[in-house]
Amino acid sequence: MHGTITANCTFKPPPRVTLTDTKREAWLRDLANPEIPLRRLSRTIPHGIRGKILLDHCLAKVIPTSRAVWLAKCVGANEIRAFKRKGAGGAFAVGGEAKWIKDWTANVEQFIEMIVNRCENAGWKAQMNYGLRLASHLASENLLDQDHYLNWVMSSVENSTLDSLFIWILMGQTHCEGLLQQRQHGRRLVQVLLEQLRKATELDESEFAGINRQLIDMIKSLILTSPACFISPQMWAKYEPLLRRSLDSTTESLCDSLNQISRRNKEIWGQASVPAATPKQRIIQLLDMVFDDVDIATLADTCRSLMPDTNSLVTTFLQWGSSVYRTGVARIYLSIRLLRGLPIDMGGLDTPITKFLANWEEHNGLSRPNLFRILAELFRSKHLNVGRYLQWLMARDGTNVASFPNQVSNLRSILLSKLGATVEEEQKTIYAVQTLIAEETPDFFPVPRASHDSEHREFDPRQLSIAVKSTVARWVRQNVASRFSPKHSESVGQQDVDSGRPTLLVMTLDQFKAIRRVLENLEDFAILADVLKMITESQDTSILACACDTVNFHLSIFAAIGALHDLFSSLLQQHKEISESTQGNQHFVDSLIDLGKRIPTAAEDVRHLKARMQMYRQRAAAVACSPISDHMTEALQSAEQTFFDDLDQVLVSGTSMDKQHLTQLFGKVVKRWEHSQGESELPEYLLPELLVRLRPFDPSTFEILMVSWFNGVLRSPMPYEIPKILPSFIFSGCIMLDTVLSTAQNALIDKTIADRHPRIAMDILELLDISSKQGQYLSTASKSYRLRMQYVRILRRSPTLVVPFILPTTEAYSAASAELRARAYALISSDGVQDIVKTLVVSDPQALQNLGFSTGATALLDKLICPVDPQQTQVEAQGVYLPQLLEMVNHYNMPLCRLRLKVLLSTETTSPDHAATTFCNIISSDARYISSDLWPELVSELPPGLGDYVRQILEREILSRISWSPDASIGYSTVLIDRMLAVVGAIGIKNGGHTSFPFISQIADKLSHALSSCRSVARTAHAPVNEYSSEGCYISKIMGFLMKAATVAFEVYKNTKLETHEYASSSGTQNPLMANGYN
């Protein structure tokens, strides 16, 4: 049919005529009526309907989208024809047409912004849907300036606040196809989405959970469908840790796409020498990215597809679950569930686990308590055979501290007596622990009958054996379960007994908190999950709220155990059965909402709970109450009477307050708080609770006043105890933890208070050190528990926020002040700060690259790489030296070892050259340190100058070893050659590839000579040189290195040329290199 129509187009747009307002309105109503044909309306169109007025009429009269587009075409054609009527021709006519398109595009953009700003009006949703649909049709009909319009969409998404971001994300999704047609728009879209995701994750995750989910879904879709948009080395280096933390990369396709994007960006950046991750490294990365709720079945299938060998998979799970370079208890239970789900043959897990234990010395950096906890849980679930394990122990002359069934207790007693221990001593310890728990929780636990024989009155849970912990934890569970017996039914009624259901739980809130504290100290969270399941039968909403907070605090652990959804469902069901009239129920609903926001499948339940919470608040607002509670008034009798009179008058008068009055009242409360410092009769948590009552009057002004106050505290010459005073302010809601961190970071930049930088940094680190000592600064233990939950969340969500506070703390390690040195040493040595740094390194291996070479930085790295006895003093602590470091390198501490190696080679006491020479001698020696696949990653972060020096030494060493004659055997080790080639390839090619060209030329000449010699030997001996001979293996390695070096050097050259002209054209032509995907 093409070419059959030869006549010129005779279409003419409908003429515009001037009509009265009444007739124009009637014409527009007819246009909005689909039953009236356009043929009748197209005879004339009203004059004066154009630009934004046209769009407003379309929105007000809900003109069908297709008819609105027709009207826009007609008006546009008349406007363009008007330019030609004025006598302008050629370039002037084209310019006039372009001007109209730009003006029309600006009108459409302003039209959409106007609808977005009306978000509080009635019918806004229908108007927004119409506006988006109309704009989408106008763009698809090419009636807009595409570049200007798409740039406006990107700018709107970029500059949007999180409150209105969902609208602009929807806008971006509507025009996603057009944005992805040009790589410059696609890459900007990705960068904007990633930046908004960073902002959302740094704020309260519960408040912006919907936005987070929307951003993650869109980014995940772009990763799978348009991975080329993520090819930007600088952008990828900035956002890769955030992506890996946020995305659920348990699916194999998503994990593969992320790894391919990462490898491609490294190739462009000049790091192509780093080989692709091994299956073990990929599994470790996969496990490190697991947060909160996870699909165990999908995760296990992905791990098995990456590593089909069961023995290797068991080893990896045991190493990851018990590594000292990982934090948290959730990983222990996650490892246990993954081990339980492995498809093992008839021998079960016994063979691979005993093989792992037999080679215990070969596995560096493992925690014995963590490993024994894994074994104990496997024994408890009968996935490990106790009899076989004990027989294996007897054959190896050893014992275990796990809890065993009764039928093998005699055999275990024999093993203990063989090692000089007895079951009686262990039983005395158990009685002592049980007695102490019973004394701390009176009227709940029975005192053991043998308690008078006990000598242990205090105990450290960390020093107890797994057997003692398991026995005590089971004893606690049995006593809680006994509260369901019929003898307690009198206090709750007989109806439950008659119906066959277990009776309601008889327990006080303090008793529950004591039980929770005991099980948390024993670290038996499987038993704690059982106890919480029993607690869900309680009718006490305060206990249920506390149980809900417990589940929320240990959410990742219960998700790994597999009890999370069951516990949440039980709590939710109990909430539905409880009467809604109780006052404490509001706190329970609030806790349920907070927990449900972290469970993706509970979105509908959270919506219903929010509606219920709104009803409670409306009910509470209708009840008159005193503006100041009675207990607070009594506690503050020493304050000025006029102060409380003014405050009472303001709170009772209404809900409005001008800025000046709020500022004055805020100043009075703060001044009163400052005067109360050091007065024991005035608890410090009361004034923040009073202060936060001013927030509802003007939240924005209140936040400005709080930030200004905290700035003053940081800069004040008076030494405020920030770790002591801030918890009550944070918990009460006076100031957010995110605001505390950002304000403290800004203070560290201020050079006028440089002398206070170490104290500020150490105050913040001490504040973030999750410990029980902060509980004494809050009014109740529940508040302390919920505050710790906030700390854990922000450290899990944005661990990089603590980086600015680590460097000043390490520098204070060698300060002139003895007080600062002692405090810095205590912080560096504390488990809390070390756990923070471990979490940071796992989430972002590059985060500590600027840690520096100070004494404190070295001490921190040494304590992390080589954990020492907690009883060791600062004088006794020994540093980590080069041979010791190389013996300890593994997949789990690689970022720390890379950093420590750079420090060792840069701060050697003699000279850096001497250190580099020593390092090269170790590499080229016959000693076994780490496997060859770890060497490239270890040396990948060496400074260019130092790296070049090491490379040149190894190049000479390799060339010296490539020397033989036809009559002599080859004097080299293929392991050594493989190791040295890996290091040379990682350093030389990483630094640009150009410095390796002379070495490549020399080694090629040597190889040519070697091949000639091998051919002559083969002709003499009548035996070919194959790849399995020593000569063939050596030649194969050299050839592989040459091919890789030449390929990467060419890629570096090509990428350098292409990066220069990456955006030379704005027509949307793709970069040829990018168009080839990941080849």
Side-chain angles (χ1 to χ4, degrees):
M1 297 295 293
H2 290 289
T4 57
I5 299 177
T6 57
N8 294 328
C9 178
T10 59
F11 169 77
K12 292 183 180 180
R16 291 185 292 185
V17 296
T18 302
L19 300 176
T20 62
D21 294 342
T22 304
K23 291 184 178 180
R24 183 171 58 187
E25 288 295 322
W27 188 91
L28 288 172
R29 283 195 299 269
D30 291 341
L31 182 65
N33 187 359
E35 297 181 358
I36 298 178
L38 285 178
R39 180 180 294 275
R40 195 179 83 180
L41 298 173
S42 63
R43 296 170 186 170
T44 57
I45 59 176
H47 196 281
I49 301 178
R50 61 182 179 180
K52 194 170 180 301
I53 297 176
L54 185 152
L55 296 170
D56 290 338
H57 279 299
C58 292
L59 177 64
K61 297 175 175 58
V62 196
I63 297 175
T65 307
S66 58
R67 292 184 164 223
V69 172
W70 172 81
L71 178 60
K73 287 182 178 179
C74 293
V75 172
N78 278 292
E79 293 286 333
I80 294 172
R81 189 169 60 174
F83 282 110
K84 297 179 180 179
R85 285 203 190 119
K86 294 177 181 179
F92 293 100
V94 174
E97 180 178 348
K99 182 180 183 301
W100 179 86
I101 292 177
K102 288 186 177 181
D103 292 342
W104 170 246
T105 303
N107 289 326
V108 173
E109 294 167 359
Q110 294 170 7
F111 172 69
I112 297 296
E113 290 175 350
M114 176 198 68
I115 298 178
V116 172
N117 294 332
R118 293 178 180 174
C119 60
E120 296 181 357
N121 296 349
W124 171 82
K125 185 176 180 180
Q127 292 181 357
M128 193 69 239
N129 289 334
Y130 182 85
L132 289 177
R133 188 167 61 251
L134 178 58
S136 175
H137 279 76
L138 291 173
S140 63
E141 294 286 345
N142 292 321
L143 296 177
L144 301 175
D145 184 342
Q146 293 293 331
D147 284 341
H148 190 280
Y149 182 70
L150 294 178
N151 283 327
W152 169 78
V153 172
M154 288 294 91
S155 299
S156 299
V157 177
E158 183 177 12
N159 300 323
S160 170
T161 62
L162 292 177
D163 294 326
S164 60
L165 182 59
F166 73 97
I167 303 173
W168 297 111
I169 292 179
L170 183 62
M171 193 80 178
Q173 290 173 335
T174 305
H175 301 286
C176 190
E177 184 178 355
L179 290 168
L180 296 177
Q181 287 179 355
Q182 297 186 25
R183 185 170 173 265
Q184 65 180 31
H185 289 314
R187 191 165 72 170
R188 187 184 175 193
L189 172 65
V190 168
Q191 187 167 1
V192 167
L193 292 176
L194 290 174
E195 178 60 21
Q196 290 287 9
L197 179 62
R198 183 193 66 80
K199 294 178 182 178
T201 52
E202 288 183 356
L203 299 176
D204 185 9
E205 62 179 9
S206 60
E207 183 178 356
F208 298 103
I211 292 295
N212 265 330
R213 197 173 301 113
Q214 201 173 3
L215 286 168
I216 289 172
D217 290 343
M218 189 171 181
I219 292 172
K220 189 184 299 184
S221 175
L222 291 174
I223 289 175
L224 296 175
T225 59
S226 304
C229 296
F230 292 82
I231 306 302
S232 174
Q234 291 182 345
M235 178 185 71
W236 186 254
K238 180 179 179 180
Y239 295 109
E240 180 184 10
L242 172 67
L243 265 179
R244 294 192 180 276
R245 287 198 309 270
S246 303
L247 296 181
D248 176 20
S249 21
T250 54
T251 56
E252 187 174 0
S253 58
L254 184 60
C255 187
D256 289 342
S257 296
L258 283 173
N259 291 331
Q260 289 174 347
I261 293 171
S262 179
R263 185 170 66 249
R264 185 60 182 142
N265 278 293
K266 287 181 179 179
E267 289 174 356
I268 297 176
W269 199 255
Q271 297 178 355
S273 58
V274 179
T278 62
K280 183 171 184 177
Q281 289 173 325
R282 294 179 64 182
I283 290 177
I284 293 172
Q285 292 174 359
L286 195 64
L287 295 175
D288 286 338
M289 288 187 291
V290 171
F291 283 104
D292 296 341
D293 199 7
V294 61
D295 187 351
I296 297 293
T298 303
L299 178 62
D301 291 341
T302 305
C303 292
R304 285 197 294 268
S305 64
L306 292 173
M307 187 179 287
D309 182 39
T310 303
N311 290 335
S312 300
L313 204 54
V314 169
T315 299
T316 302
F317 289 157
L318 289 173
Q319 287 178 337
W320 183 77
S322 59
S323 174
V324 297
Y325 305 111
R326 298 296 186 270
T327 60
V329 184
R331 62 192 172 91
I332 299 175
Y333 288 97
L334 181 60
S335 301
I336 293 168
R337 286 195 70 190
L338 291 172
L339 288 168
R340 288 171 178 168
L342 289 178
I344 305 296
D345 55 11
M346 296 300 294
L349 289 171
D350 302 300
T351 301
I353 287 182
T354 53
K355 186 183 296 184
F356 172 83
L357 295 175
N359 300 321
W360 169 269
E361 294 79 6
E362 297 181 3
H363 306 290
N364 295 325
L366 298 186
S367 168
R368 287 178 179 269
N370 291 344
L371 180 61
F372 291 154
R373 169 63 66 186
I374 294 175
L375 297 180
E377 293 296 332
L378 293 175
F379 284 131
R380 180 183 292 175
S381 61
K382 302 188 185 308
H383 284 80
L384 267 183
N385 187 284
V386 182
R388 293 177 191 165
Y389 181 70
L390 288 177
Q391 292 172 5
W392 176 82
L393 280 178
M394 293 181 67
R396 293 187 57 84
D397 219 7
T399 188
N400 181 38
V401 292
S403 174
F404 301 128
N406 294 330
Q407 61 267 27
V408 293
S409 59
N410 293 334
L411 183 57
R412 181 172 180 267
S413 300
I414 295 173
L415 286 173
L416 287 173
S417 60
K418 188 176 180 181
L419 294 178
T422 62
V423 178
E424 288 74 14
E425 291 294 329
E426 183 179 81
Q427 194 63 40
K428 287 182 180 180
T429 304
I430 293 173
Y431 285 148
V433 175
Q434 292 175 347
T435 302
L436 185 60
I437 294 174
E439 291 175 353
E440 292 180 352
T441 314
D443 302 328
F444 192 90
F445 292 105
V447 178
R449 288 174 294 179
S451 62
H452 60 277
D453 297 329
S454 172
E455 299 178 359
H456 301 277
R457 302 307 302 168
E458 297 290 341
F459 67 93
D460 183 358
R462 294 175 298 180
Q463 303 300 326
L464 298 178
S465 66
I466 296 295
V468 173
K469 289 181 178 180
S470 298
T471 303
V472 174
R474 290 199 306 272
W475 174 75
V476 170
R477 179 177 58 184
Q478 290 170 0
N479 281 277
V480 174
S482 69
R483 292 284 168 154
F484 285 85
S485 62
K487 67 181 181 180
H488 294 285
S489 61
E490 296 179 0
S491 60
V492 295
Q494 191 67 29
Q495 182 178 359
D496 293 332
V497 178
D498 297 337
S499 63
R501 292 183 55 194
T503 60
L504 300 181
L505 188 63
V506 179
M507 179 187 295
T508 66
L509 180 60
D510 291 337
Q511 289 172 343
F512 169 71
K513 292 177 180 178
I515 292 170
R516 179 182 65 183
R517 184 176 63 254
V518 168
L519 292 176
E520 286 176 340
N521 290 336
L522 296 175
E523 294 186 339
D524 199 327
F525 291 94
I527 298 292
L528 180 58
D530 293 341
V531 170
L532 288 173
K533 178 63 176 176
M534 301 176 194
I535 295 296
T536 58
E537 295 290 337
S538 173
Q539 292 286 326
D540 189 338
T541 55
S542 60
I543 294 180
L544 291 172
C546 196
C548 197
D549 291 340
T550 305
V551 177
N552 201 348
F553 187 77
H554 301 294
L555 185 139
S556 57
I557 299 176
F558 292 130
I561 293 175
L564 174 61
H565 293 279
D566 188 26
L567 289 173
F568 179 72
S569 299
S570 300
L571 289 167
L572 191 64
Q573 182 63 30
Q574 190 67 4
H575 159 69
K576 295 177 181 178
E577 296 178 0
I578 291 179
S579 172
E580 301 177 3
S581 61
T582 56
Q583 183 66 26
N585 198 27
Q586 184 171 344
H587 181 204
F588 181 31
V589 176
D590 189 37
S591 298
L592 276 173
I593 293 174
D594 198 22
L595 174 59
K597 287 178 180 178
R598 302 181 63 190
I599 303 176
T601 57
E604 188 66 21
D605 296 324
V606 171
R607 188 175 66 82
H608 290 298
L609 289 170
K610 285 183 176 179
R612 183 67 57 84
M613 177 59 75
Q614 185 64 25
M615 181 184 67
Y616 290 151
R617 288 173 179 169
Q618 291 174 356
R619 183 185 302 171
V623 179
C625 60
S626 174
I628 298 180
S629 61
D630 295 337
H631 72 277
M632 188 176 295
T633 305
E634 294 175 0
L636 299 176
Q637 286 299 325
S638 60
E640 299 176 3
Q641 189 63 37
T642 56
F643 168 72
F644 293 104
D645 291 341
D646 291 344
L647 186 59
D648 281 337
Q649 185 178 359
V650 169
L651 294 175
V652 172
S653 62
T655 58
S656 62
M657 183 188 302
D658 57 29
K659 183 177 180 180
Q660 182 179 3
H661 196 180
L662 177 63
T663 303
Q664 292 175 355
L665 200 54
F666 181 91
K668 287 185 178 181
V669 178
V670 168
K671 185 176 181 180
R672 176 60 192 163
W673 174 83
E674 291 174 349
H675 288 323
S676 70
Q677 294 297 299
E679 298 180 8
S680 57
E681 68 275 7
L682 185 63
E684 295 186 2
Y685 57 80
L686 290 181
L687 284 169
E689 291 178 0
L690 179 64
L691 188 64
V692 75
R693 301 179 65 180
L694 300 176
R695 174 186 284 274
F697 292 102
D698 190 347
S700 59
T701 301
F702 183 84
E703 290 178 5
I704 294 173
L705 292 172
M706 280 303 306
V707 172
S708 176
W709 168 81
F710 184 54
N711 260 317
V713 169
L714 293 175
R715 290 165 170 77
S716 173
M718 178 180 176
Y720 285 101
E721 298 182 54
I722 291 179
K724 179 181 177 181
I725 65 177
L726 270 189
S728 56
F729 282 89
I730 295 173
F731 178 81
S732 62
C734 290
I735 189 169
M736 299 294 105
L737 185 57
D738 308 77
T739 306
V740 170
L741 296 179
S742 60
T743 306
Q745 289 179 13
N746 294 334
L748 293 178
I749 303 174
D750 189 355
K751 303 206 179 284
T752 60
I753 55 170
D755 58 325
R756 288 195 52 80
H757 287 177
R759 295 185 184 275
I760 294 174
M762 289 189 286
D763 283 342
I764 298 300
L765 280 184
E766 188 174 337
L767 175 71
L768 295 176
D769 185 359
I770 309 300
S771 61
S772 58
K773 65 181 180 181
Q774 293 178 357
Q776 60 183 315
Y777 307 135
L778 295 172
S779 58
T780 64
S782 297
K783 294 181 178 181
S784 174
Y785 202 79
R786 291 176 69 87
L787 181 66
R788 291 171 59 201
M789 190 159 49
Q790 292 186 38
Y791 290 170
V792 170
R793 282 191 193 180
I794 196 168
L795 291 175
R796 291 279 301 274
R797 187 174 68 240
S798 306
T800 53
L801 291 177
V802 302
V803 174
F805 308 107
I806 296 176
L807 181 57
T809 302
T810 57
E811 292 176 344
Y813 191 87
S814 55
S817 171
E819 177 190 356
L820 287 179
R821 290 199 307 271
R823 190 179 178 193
Y825 175 76
L827 280 172
I828 289 174
S829 304
S830 67
D831 293 337
V833 172
Q834 291 186 17
D835 286 347
I836 290 174
V837 178
K838 289 177 185 177
T839 304
L840 175 64
V841 170
V842 170
S843 62
D844 186 1
Q846 306 297 324
L848 295 178
Q849 288 304 306
N850 298 324
L851 188 60
F853 305 141
S854 64
T855 306
T858 304
L860 176 61
L861 291 174
D862 289 347
K863 291 179 181 296
L864 292 172
I865 295 173
C866 184
V868 296
D869 190 341
Q871 303 299 325
Q872 190 176 31
T873 64
Q874 183 176 5
V875 179
E876 297 168 342
Q878 299 295 324
V880 177
Y881 298 102
L882 194 56
Q884 183 184 3
L885 175 68
L886 296 179
E887 289 177 353
M888 300 175 62
V889 176
N890 56 39
H891 292 283
Y892 304 95
N893 62 5
M894 180 59 73
L896 296 171
C897 290
R898 276 203 309 258
L899 210 56
R900 188 66 178 97
L901 177 64
K902 184 166 67 173
V903 174
L904 279 171
L905 298 184
S906 303
T907 60
E908 179 70 23
T909 54
T910 55
S911 68
D913 293 349
H914 178 267
T917 304
T918 305
F919 180 58
C920 294
N921 292 337
I922 293 175
I923 296 176
S924 58
S925 66
D926 293 328
R928 285 190 59 187
Y929 288 99
I930 62 176
S931 57
S932 296
D933 62 323
L934 292 176
W935 281 104
E937 190 176 359
L938 179 64
V939 301
S940 61
E941 300 296 335
L942 290 180
L946 187 59
D948 287 341
Y949 187 81
V950 171
R951 177 188 54 78
Q952 292 169 7
I953 295 177
L954 291 179
E955 285 177 356
R956 291 194 296 268
E957 183 67 24
I958 293 174
L959 291 173
S960 66
R961 290 176 181 268
I962 306 178
S963 177
W964 64 78
S965 63
D967 300 328
S969 61
I970 300 176
Y972 58 83
S973 166
T974 56
V975 175
L976 290 179
I977 293 294
D978 190 23
R979 182 191 304 168
M980 289 187 287
L981 288 176
V983 174
V984 169
I987 297 177
I989 302 174
K990 170 186 176 294
N991 291 338
H994 309 294
T995 56
S996 296
F997 287 151
F999 172 62
I1000 292 174
S1001 176
Q1002 295 177 33
I1003 200 173
D1005 294 339
K1006 291 274 189 179
L1007 183 61
S1008 176
H1009 178 69
L1011 290 172
S1012 301
S1013 301
C1014 288
R1015 282 195 295 269
S1016 63
V1017 171
R1019 284 194 298 268
T1020 304
H1022 303 287
V1025 177
N1026 57 61
E1027 60 177 330
Y1028 299 103
S1029 64
S1030 58
E1031 293 86 355
C1033 181
Y1034 174 74
I1035 292 173
S1036 174
K1037 290 181 181 294
I1038 297 295
M1039 288 293 293
F1041 172 79
L1042 287 176
M1043 293 178 63
K1044 180 179 179 181
T1047 301
V1048 175
F1050 177 70
E1051 286 290 327
V1052 170
Y1053 171 76
K1054 186 167 62 172
N1055 289 333
T1056 303
K1057 300 291 286 184
L1058 287 173
E1059 283 291 313
T1060 306
H1061 305 285
E1062 184 176 0
Y1063 289 103
S1065 175
S1066 60
S1067 61
T1069 304
Q1070 282 192 335
N1071 189 322
L1073 183 61
M1074 299 303 114
N1076 291 333
Y1078 306 109
N1079 297 327

